[in-house]
Amino acid sequence: HVIMLGGGNTDAAKSALAAYPQGLQVGGGVNDTNAKDWIDAGASHVIVTSFVFRDGKVDMDRLSNLVSLVGKDRLVLDLSCRRHKNDPTGPYYVVTDRWQKYTDVAVNCETLQMLGGYCDEFLVHGVENEGKRCGILEDLVELLGKDSPISVTYAGGVKSLGDLEKVKLLGNGKVDLTIGSALDCFGGDVSYDEVVKWHTKENRK
């Protein structure tokens, strides 16, 4: 997926979509005024987070409007989440605005079942471990694999090829994995070529 962080990168995002039409999801500032434009520009899906969360809750009117504009099958909801610092073993809560603002929406069975009726996939960054290469949030991956009614892509904390196997097992085969800074092509220790080999082998099973 392609996430536009900040301004001035619209042209770069459109260039990526043109190079790989229908092969990339796009997010970052997506709302009801531009979602259809991104689909028309070649995105397979649009990824939405902050726009559908207002005053700490899901804005069902905004969510329903997005579904009517692009269709459930072209919408990915970003439920990136973290625990409250004063409750390190408590629930994960959806965070917005570059992961700095907590909502009142817990990532649990009820939330996943309800929102799963409005989108094609969830994108979930385990914010506590994002970019740290310290290992995945195993309890979060397990929760997603057990309770999500639709496909999920998890990101956050990958440090080795072994994490791919962990996500496969803990996620009950329903959770995909995004790897960023841990890849050798981005300065990390995980071989991109080995990841591709692992994925190719899994797809042959």
Side-chain angles (χ1 to χ4, degrees):
H1 56 256
V2 175
I3 304 295
M4 295 175 287
L5 299 174
N9 46 29
T10 299
D11 289 343
K14 288 182 177 179
S15 177
L17 296 178
Y20 192 14
Q22 303 306 313
L24 292 170
Q25 303 172 355
V26 67
V30 174
N31 56 46
D32 57 357
T33 68
N34 59 23
K36 183 66 164 55
D37 292 338
W38 285 113
I39 295 297
D40 292 342
S44 67
H45 298 70
V46 288
I47 303 170
V48 181
T49 174
S50 298
F51 178 71
V52 298
F53 291 93
R54 187 162 55 166
D55 298 326
K57 297 177 173 54
V58 179
D59 187 319
M60 295 306 299
D61 289 338
R62 288 186 173 188
L63 179 56
S64 297
N65 190 36
L66 278 172
V67 173
S68 68
L69 286 169
V70 301
K72 173 183 180 293
D73 60 337
R74 308 297 290 273
L75 183 62
V76 175
L77 286 182
D78 183 345
L79 301 184
S80 294
C81 57
R82 67 193 313 169
R83 297 181 178 102
H84 283 285
K85 291 180 180 179
N86 61 357
D87 191 10
T89 61
Y92 291 93
Y93 287 89
V94 175
V95 286
T96 63
D97 300 284
R98 300 187 184 181
W99 305 336
Q100 299 304 305
K101 187 175 181 179
Y102 281 93
T103 70
D104 300 326
V105 180
V107 177
N108 55 28
C109 182
E110 180 182 3
T111 297
L112 294 170
Q113 293 291 327
M114 186 271 288
L115 293 178
Y118 292 86
C119 61
D120 192 48
E121 182 183 339
F122 295 125
L123 171 63
V124 181
H125 286 81
V127 174
E128 295 165 26
N129 287 16
E130 177 65 30
K132 297 179 180 178
R133 307 182 203 169
C134 58
I136 62 170
L137 290 167
E138 296 185 13
D139 59 338
L140 178 56
V141 173
E142 188 172 14
L143 181 155
L144 297 171
K146 178 169 65 76
D147 291 333
S148 178
I150 59 176
S151 297
V152 186
T153 296
Y154 168 86
V158 172
K159 65 177 180 179
S160 70
L161 282 172
D163 285 324
L164 279 71
E165 288 290 344
K166 285 183 181 178
V167 170
K168 174 187 171 184
L169 294 174
L170 293 172
N172 289 323
K174 290 194 297 185
V175 181
D176 292 321
L177 184 63
T178 290
I179 309 175
S181 59
L183 289 172
D184 56 358
C185 55
F186 297 132
D189 300 320
V190 179
S191 166
Y192 173 81
D193 290 338
E194 290 301 316
V195 170
V196 171
K197 288 179 184 177
W198 184 91
H199 190 266
T200 301
K201 181 182 71 174
E202 288 298 312
N203 283 344
R204 288 173 177 166
K205 291 183 178 179

